[in-house]
Amino acid sequence: RMLLVGEQEAEVYIEKQKGEILGVVIVESGWGSILPTVIIASMMHAGPAEKSGRLNIGDQIMTINGTSLVGLPLSTCQSIIKGLKSQSRIKMNIVRCPPVTMVLIRRPDLRYQLGFSVQNGIICSLMRGGIAERGGVRVGHRIIEINSQSVVATPHEKIVQILSNAMGEIHMKTMPAAMYRLLTAQEQPVYI
């Protein structure tokens, strides 16, 4: 997977009016990602980012106008983007990523600890070097599906039960919890 990163990186130019915001919501990619950076969680309707047609929800922003965002805290990345309001052309290097992360945990039998904890469907801690970390589990992600079964409306106890009894190859789909809240309209987007 790490070798693909170079191929997926794209250079994108976005034109906008001076004083106009870019029109995006960014969230953290989640602890445990190969590249800790920010991703686009939402785009303002008819804003410069959406109008460009060059950005997608899930895209990771590597650099913006020559400044690398890799490894920076979310608030710093937000400030950097807000600081571009006076610019009329923004250059971004992005890595195309689907908004949903595919996780594959290999658990030979129930004696193997899964190595992560869940609260309200959100992964809140991860054991270093465990089978979950190796499988791509990320802290701060909401579990959407377990073995092709949606757990979006599943109560916490049931999710825990499904996971503790799961064996063999466990396939999960997850996405950053902040993105999930925006997509399910539990949160109003604040565009920058």
Side-chain angles (χ1 to χ4, degrees):
R1 265 195 68 195
M2 291 191 77
L3 295 171
L4 286 172
V5 169
E7 293 166 38
Q8 292 173 317
E9 200 162 313
E11 206 169 82
V12 170
Y13 289 90
I14 292 167
E15 311 286 334
K16 65 179 196 62
Q17 301 299 312
K18 287 190 172 170
E20 192 180 20
I21 62 168
L22 187 57
V24 294
V25 176
I26 55 170
V27 298
E28 285 165 306
S29 57
W31 184 83
S33 345
I34 293 170
L35 294 160
T37 181
V38 291
I39 55 185
I40 296 172
S42 180
M43 286 188 278
M44 186 170 82
H45 178 61
E50 189 191 69
K51 270 197 314 219
S52 76
R54 296 192 177 102
L55 294 172
N56 298 303
I57 287 179
D59 287 350
Q60 289 193 308
I61 306 172
M62 309 311 288
T63 68
I64 192 156
N65 278 10
T67 306
S68 171
L69 303 187
V70 178
L72 296 181
L74 180 64
S75 56
T76 307
C77 296
Q78 286 168 331
S79 303
I80 290 168
I81 293 173
K82 283 178 188 165
L84 302 172
K85 215 171 157 182
S86 60
Q87 312 280 326
S88 59
R89 192 169 195 237
I90 292 174
K91 177 190 163 192
M92 293 165 106
N93 281 61
I94 58 162
V95 173
R96 302 244 175 248
C97 291
V100 174
T101 301
M102 310 298 260
V103 175
L104 171 57
I105 304 170
R106 293 192 165 86
R107 188 187 198 187
D109 62 55
L110 294 177
R111 285 178 312 206
Y112 284 79
Q113 249 193 309
L114 276 177
F116 69 93
S117 59
V118 179
Q119 194 56 58
N120 299 324
I122 297 168
I123 296 152
C124 48
S125 72
L126 186 57
M127 200 168 78
R128 283 270 187 201
I131 55 175
E133 190 185 27
R134 287 202 295 272
V137 170
R138 297 178 187 183
V139 171
H141 273 224
R142 173 71 162 84
I143 303 172
I144 307 298
E145 253 180 39
I146 303 169
N147 290 335
S148 306
Q149 178 191 347
S150 170
V151 291
V152 165
T154 306
H156 172 71
E157 292 72 25
K158 181 90 171 103
I159 292 177
V160 171
Q161 188 194 338
I162 294 168
L163 287 170
S164 42
N165 297 324
M167 254 178 15
E169 288 198 342
I170 307 163
H171 294 263
M172 295 198 307
K173 286 182 184 168
T174 71
M175 70 164 59
M179 186 191 284
Y180 175 77
R181 288 194 298 271
L182 287 168
L183 292 177
T184 51
Q186 296 171 43
E187 215 168 88
Q188 284 302 298
V190 179
Y191 295 107
I192 57 174

